[in-house]
Every structure is written in structure tokens, then in C-alpha cells.
Amino acid sequence: MKKFLSVLLIVVMVFTFAACGTKDGGNGDAVDYDAIPDTCESADGTYAIAMVTDVGQLKDGSFNQFTWNGCKAYASQNDLTYKYYQPANGSQATDADRIKAMTDACEAGAQVIVTPGFLQENALKEVVPKYPDVQFIFVDGWDMGFDNLVGVSYQEEQAGYLAGYAAVMEGYTKLGFSGGGGGSNPACCRYGYGFAQGVEAAAAEKDVKVEMRYSWEYGSTFSASPDLQTMLSGWFGAGTEVVFMCGGTMFNSGAAAAEAAEAKIIGVDVDQSGLSDTVVTSAMKDLAGSVITTLTKYYDEGKLIGGSMVLGATDNAVALPTDTWSLENWSVEDYEALYEQIKAGEIKIDNTVVSDPSTMNLEHITFVK
């Protein structure tokens, strides 16, 4: 029964929830995650599914929020309690802060702990072996050699490629990439290098030259900042038309700078079009759906999961949001044809973790400061 309910949740249902663990029916539309409460009351004080947030707030309109959407949606539809834990010190959280949050979740009865973000690695190394009966799901993570931890990662290079290709086919020839993590985050590196590869492919097809500004400055904490906004305003003032904002609430600095300059940005991880009119499209990965899929596997099989899951176009786990993009010169039909080529392996996208694409011999892109 749980498997049936989970599949319905992923594909077709909308739920209205007054409290955790209820199972009201749906009307055949997409899941309304906002209708599911972020908090739930537990009769015995224990919580089955827990999430320890990445840097930033739960409602970040991006990575934390959509990972949490998957957690609470699965829990709510399957009569399971759920709770999120935010490590102390916000964007300055330390490994000790994360260890405490994970430990608190385990001690509160968690059967599963979902930990989004590569910064969780050191804390997981400390906590996972101490709780061998708890299932850990490391989102944007990897196989760490524990029988009770599964790493869920994505082929971000495919999503970045689609966004870069779309931008050039739309007619933009002066682009920017502003990345989080200082060039040390594998996911952001794959997004960025994939973006550059997509730009190169479309520019070659159109036989045009593209100018690109590419920077990790002011993005180490994945947060908005006056310095980041000032840098991006300078880019727009120098003629940059659209910037791929790749890193949490850095999006807010990009949106503010773009709005002031009447320019555009590309969102990341989720469809961010609802956050700003400046968003032309978003390079997405299905965070909520992949969490639901992993939770379904764990509960249906009734045993711990180890190893890794790598999700991409063949899993329909990366995409652009065709219903909400504001592209006018590149059609949905052309996008779908490109997507099928990627799924079929006819287009090869390098997934090497590259922090500086200017070193990768992209002939149609001129990198500028």
C-alpha cells in the first residue's frame, strides 16, 4: 500500500494537510508542497523522518526547501512523523553544529535522516557509525562506505548544458556565471562547466562568438551579499545580458542586480521563476522527487541502503521548466529534441569537476574579467 501511495504522490496527487500523517485525497494535479505543514506534532515525541538543513534557511526557495518538500510529502502520505533541524550559526555553521543537529535527530527517534549538501560530509563521518540502525540519505553526496548511508547525486552538467544552450539559442551572446562554494563544490562546478559546454555547442551551431564572465567570488557561503550584488551590477553595466546564479540565496543578489539593470538571470536547482521576473529559465534537478524515490526504496524494501544513486536525464531528474520559462526564440519542441539526444547518449557532456572552463579549449567563448 505504501508503494502505491508513494507513486501517486510523485506523479499525480495534491494533498491538503492539517497535521502530519494525514492522508486526504487528491484531485489529479501536481503535488502542492506548500499545503503540507513544515512542522508536525508527535504524540510520543519521536520523529521518523528528519532533515538536517544545509547552509541557509529552510525556506530558501532552493536546495533546502525542495529537499524538505520531498521529506515531508513522503512522510505525510505514509503516516510518518517528520521534523527538520537547522544547525546553529546559520551560514557559518561548523561541523560541530551539524554533528549536534544530526545527533539530536537520532536521539529523537529518527529512522531516516536526510542531509542535503556536500558540507555535511565531516559530520556524517562522525555520526553515521554511531547510529548503525538509522538510514542516512546524503543529497548531493556520494558513497562513503557505510551500509546505512546512500549518496544521491545528479548529473548537474546536463542541466547546466541545457541552460547554456538555451541562452545562446535565445540570442544572448554576453553571459555570466556566478558560482557558490568558491570553486570547491562539485555540484556547482559541474553546473558551471556544463553551462559553458552548452554555450559552446549552441555558439558553434549558430557560428557566433560569446563573451563570458565566470567567477566564484563572494559565493563561498552560498549567500546573498552587498559585495556580490555590486560585482554583478558591474557585469551588467559592462554589457552582460544574463547570469547563471548557481548557489543558494546568492540568487537574491543576482535578481536585485538584474532588476536594476533590466537584465536577466538563470536560476538553479529548482524552478525559480516565481521568485523574480528576471528569471529567464532555471537549471533544475528533481530534489523532491529523488528524495521521495529514495525514501520509497528504503521503506518498501525494509532494509538499510548503502552505495550511491546518480540521477540525470535518463531518470528525468534534470531539466529546464518549459511551462514557466520566458524564452521566445527557442521552442519547447527544439528543447525536447535536444533532451532526447542527451538521454540517448547522442550528446556527450563532460562531467569532469572543472572550476575554470577558460582552460578547457572552448573555441567560441571568450572569457573576460
Side-chain angles (χ1 to χ4, degrees):
M1 184 63 175
K2 282 185 179 178
K3 184 174 183 180
F4 174 70
L5 290 170
S6 298
V7 171
L8 284 179
L9 177 65
I10 297 169
V11 180
V12 298
M13 296 187 77
V14 165
F15 304 102
T16 304
F17 299 89
C20 63
T22 61
K23 291 199 264 186
D24 295 334
N27 61 8
D29 297 324
V31 178
D32 183 2
Y33 294 113
D34 290 335
I36 308 171
D38 290 318
T39 59
C40 122
E41 294 298 326
S42 169
D44 62 2
T46 65
Y47 295 89
I49 296 177
M51 187 184 90
V52 175
T53 63
D54 195 7
V55 291
Q57 297 300 308
L58 180 72
K59 293 293 192 179
D60 59 0
S62 185
F63 204 74
N64 281 329
Q65 184 171 340
F66 282 76
T67 303
W68 180 235
N69 281 348
C71 295
K72 68 180 184 179
Y74 181 89
S76 296
Q77 189 56 21
N78 287 279
D79 284 332
L80 295 167
T81 52
Y82 56 94
K83 184 176 181 177
Y84 68 89
Y85 296 77
Q86 293 192 202
N89 297 311
S91 63
Q92 303 300 317
T94 65
D95 288 337
D97 295 326
R98 297 183 185 94
I99 289 168
K100 183 179 187 308
M102 292 180 197
T103 301
D104 288 346
C106 290
E107 293 300 317
Q111 298 167 353
V112 183
I113 297 180
V114 180
T115 60
F118 80 117
L119 293 174
Q120 311 270 16
E121 178 185 14
N122 290 335
L124 286 167
K125 287 179 179 177
E126 179 76 19
V127 177
V128 172
K130 293 180 179 178
Y131 295 91
D133 296 327
V134 176
Q135 174 69 59
F136 291 82
I137 300 173
F138 186 12
V139 180
D140 252 12
W142 47 87
D143 182 358
M144 294 177 64
F146 299 110
D147 292 337
N148 59 327
L149 181 145
V150 60
V152 179
S153 61
Y154 306 85
Q155 293 176 281
E156 290 93 355
E157 70 278 2
Q158 295 178 344
Y161 183 99
L162 290 165
Y165 193 97
V168 174
M169 296 306 289
E170 180 67 7
Y172 297 114
T173 58
K174 294 186 177 182
L175 310 176
F177 171 85
S178 179
S184 64
N185 180 298
C188 288
C189 288
R190 286 193 294 267
Y191 268 132
Y193 183 33
F195 181 68
Q197 291 177 75
V199 168
E200 172 69 16
E205 182 175 331
K206 296 182 72 174
D207 193 22
V208 297
K209 285 287 188 179
V210 173
E211 177 182 288
M212 183 179 291
R213 288 177 165 82
Y214 199 101
S215 177
W216 301 99
E217 283 191 274
Y218 311 118
S220 60
T221 64
F222 302 89
S223 301
S225 72
D227 288 338
L228 177 59
Q229 185 172 333
T230 297
M231 182 189 79
L232 297 173
S233 294
W235 286 9
F236 290 129
T240 298
E241 299 164 309
V242 59
V243 175
F244 183 14
M245 293 303 304
C246 188
T249 56
M250 290 171 62
F251 172 92
N252 296 331
S253 293
E259 184 175 353
E262 297 184 354
K264 297 293 183 180
I265 61 174
I266 294 170
V268 74
D269 286 339
V270 300
D271 182 1
Q272 296 189 304
S273 61
L275 302 179
S276 171
D277 291 338
T278 65
V279 176
V280 66
T281 190
S282 299
M284 304 189 305
K285 51 193 182 188
D286 188 10
L287 294 165
S290 59
V291 169
I292 293 169
T293 296
T294 311
L295 289 168
T296 300
K297 178 178 175 62
Y298 167 70
Y299 280 103
D300 283 357
E301 294 184 1
K303 62 182 181 180
L304 296 167
I305 309 169
S308 62
M309 296 170 55
V310 181
L311 306 174
T314 56
D315 311 286
N316 295 312
V318 297
L320 301 184
T322 57
D323 287 344
T324 60
W325 73 16
S326 60
L327 303 177
E328 297 178 351
N329 301 319
W330 195 50
S331 71
V332 172
E333 291 76 13
D334 287 339
Y335 162 78
E336 290 174 345
L338 180 70
Y339 196 86
E340 288 304 314
Q341 287 182 285
I342 294 173
K343 289 178 71 171
E346 297 170 9
I347 294 176
K348 305 295 185 182
I349 305 169
D350 190 350
N351 66 353
T352 304
V353 176
V354 172
S355 61
D356 184 6
S358 69
T359 65
M360 301 306 289
N361 193 31
L362 301 173
E363 297 179 359
H364 292 78
I365 303 176
T366 300
F367 291 89
V368 298
K369 297 294 184 181

